[in-house]
Amino acid sequence: MNIGRAAEASGVSAKMIRYYEDIGLIEKPARTAAGYRRYSEAEVNTLSFIRRARNLGFSVEEIRALLALWRDRSRASSDVKALAMKHIADLNTRIAELKEMADTLDHLARNCHGDDRPHCPILESLAAPVIGETQPREGQPPEA
Amino acid sequence: MNIGRAAEASGVSAKMIRYYEDIGLIEKPARTAAGYRRYSEAEVNTLSFIRRARNLGFSVEEIRALLALWRDRSRASSDVKALAMKHIADLNTRIAELKEMADTLDHLARNCHGDDRPHCPILESLAAPVIGETQPREGQPPEA
DNA sequence: ATGGGGCTTCCAACGGTAGGAAGGTCAAGG
DNA sequence: CCTTGACCTTCCTACCGTTGGAAGCCCCAT
């Protein structure tokens, strides 16, 4: 199977297949006499595995570990689970960060009239965060 | 004020200040005779503005637009609000994506014993997604 | 004047992905 | 046999934002 077919079958672009080979995530495949990469079903399975893991947000390094566990028939499922739990925690951290951004911005946007007048709490907050009730006379833009 | 002081005062690293200058996000500052960058209070305010906007997840290009609005005293607050709302939508999209990853993985991890035995639904799911109830005989790792 | 810290510029790396250029190969149809 | 077009090869570039380092200059204190 050529790289184009393998890409189609696995859902990993040919570009990325070459990249994964380059960084040693996958083994170097066999080559035809002309130098074309040839992929077996098993290799396409590996690529699909990688794609699904990426879809779950695993980093390439995490996938490297997952692949090692996958190939190790005598692995302990606790090792896999630990990796997954760690990743879930990472995801939740990022979710919390994004959520805090969205909430903060949502709060500011809610207090913004959104009309044709210039007054805008969003810009004011960026210019200087609100401290208590008083608006300190700071945060004027330059060249204004 | 030297770049180091400006970095300290604004919370933007000296490296990033130079980068922002390089990409034209901020104006080129005055220089001392020796070529050192000199920053005014107003310029530090701009840097703080940028830092806060980055903390809210705005991209550099979005910040470019925000800065333009900030400097435009006759802006319409609706323009700022539209930008913010768009960004909130982007954040919510990313949150939803991450949440789906976390939920999927959480579901898999919940079904994983996490003991010293090799059986593991997480790896099985990566090897081949579950279709209905039947487990197709696919997704074996290579060289196994 | 010597040392240490700050400043300057320039170059590279990170993680993943995508785009393109220049050239070789394969299969089909004339 | 030859052409055409789709595919493959390698190599270089860019994206985004941030960090690190090297080599060299500048400023201040001892």
Side-chain angles (χ1 to χ4, degrees):
Chain A
M1 197 185 304
N2 279 347
I3 197 171
R5 289 315 196 100
E8 197 178 3
S10 66
V12 179
S13 73
K15 285 267 186 197
M16 290 312 298
I17 295 175
R18 295 194 194 95
Y19 172 70
Y20 291 150
E21 177 188 334
D22 200 51
I23 63 174
L25 187 62
I26 57 178
E27 295 291 317
K28 301 197 176 193
R31 298 271 187 154
T32 67
Y36 283 23
R37 289 172 179 80
R38 287 184 53 245
Y39 294 93
S40 67
E41 292 292 329
E43 285 166 314
V44 170
N45 281 343
T46 301
L47 289 169
S48 298
F49 182 104
I50 291 170
R51 176 183 51 76
R52 290 186 201 105
R54 292 263 339 127
N55 286 347
L56 288 178
F58 284 102
S59 71
V60 165
E61 287 315 306
E62 286 168 329
I63 293 173
R64 209 185 286 273
L66 284 172
L67 284 172
L69 288 169
W70 188 35
R71 283 191 277 260
D72 178 5
R73 297 281 186 134
S74 64
R75 80 232 158 200
S77 65
S78 60
D79 290 344
V80 183
K81 188 165 182 172
L83 218 159
M85 296 299 280
K86 170 69 169 59
H87 182 53
I88 291 172
D90 290 347
L91 288 171
N92 285 333
T93 298
R94 289 167 57 196
I95 289 168
E97 289 168 354
L98 294 178
K99 198 160 182 319
E100 177 150 6
M101 294 177 188
D103 286 350
T104 301
L105 210 41
D106 195 68
H107 178 74
L108 291 174
R110 230 180 273 279
N111 289 322
C112 176
H113 288 271
D115 53 22
D116 55 355
R117 286 172 298 175
H119 172 70
C120 177
I122 300 169
L123 287 182
E124 277 172 21
S125 177
L126 289 171
V130 178
I131 302 163
E133 297 293 314
T134 55
Q135 288 278 354
R137 292 203 171 231
E138 295 182 56
Q140 292 313 305
E143 325 166 52
Chain B
M1 198 185 304
N2 280 347
I3 198 171
R5 288 316 195 98
E8 198 179 2
S10 66
V12 179
S13 73
K15 285 268 187 196
M16 290 312 298
I17 294 175
R18 294 194 194 97
Y19 172 70
Y20 291 150
E21 177 187 334
D22 200 52
I23 63 174
L25 186 63
I26 57 177
E27 295 292 316
K28 300 198 177 191
R31 300 268 187 156
T32 67
Y36 284 22
R37 289 172 178 80
R38 285 185 54 244
Y39 294 93
S40 66
E41 292 292 329
E43 286 167 312
V44 171
N45 281 343
T46 301
L47 289 169
S48 298
F49 181 104
I50 292 170
R51 176 182 50 76
R52 290 186 201 105
R54 293 267 333 131
N55 286 347
L56 289 177
F58 285 101
S59 72
V60 165
E61 287 316 305
E62 286 168 329
I63 294 173
R64 209 185 286 274
L66 285 171
L67 283 172
L69 289 169
W70 189 35
R71 284 191 277 259
D72 178 6
R73 296 280 187 135
S74 64
R75 80 234 158 196
S77 66
S78 60
D79 290 343
V80 184
K81 188 165 182 171
L83 218 160
M85 296 299 280
K86 170 69 169 59
H87 182 53
I88 291 173
D90 290 348
L91 288 171
N92 284 334
T93 299
R94 289 168 57 197
I95 289 169
E97 288 168 355
L98 293 178
K99 198 158 183 320
E100 176 149 8
M101 293 178 189
D103 287 349
T104 301
L105 209 42
D106 195 68
H107 178 74
L108 292 173
R110 232 181 272 280
N111 288 323
C112 176
H113 288 271
D115 53 22
D116 54 355
R117 287 173 297 176
H119 172 70
C120 177
I122 300 169
L123 287 182
E124 278 172 21
S125 176
L126 289 172
V130 179
I131 302 162
E133 297 294 312
T134 55
Q135 288 278 354
R137 291 197 173 238
E138 296 180 57
Q140 292 312 305
E143 326 166 52

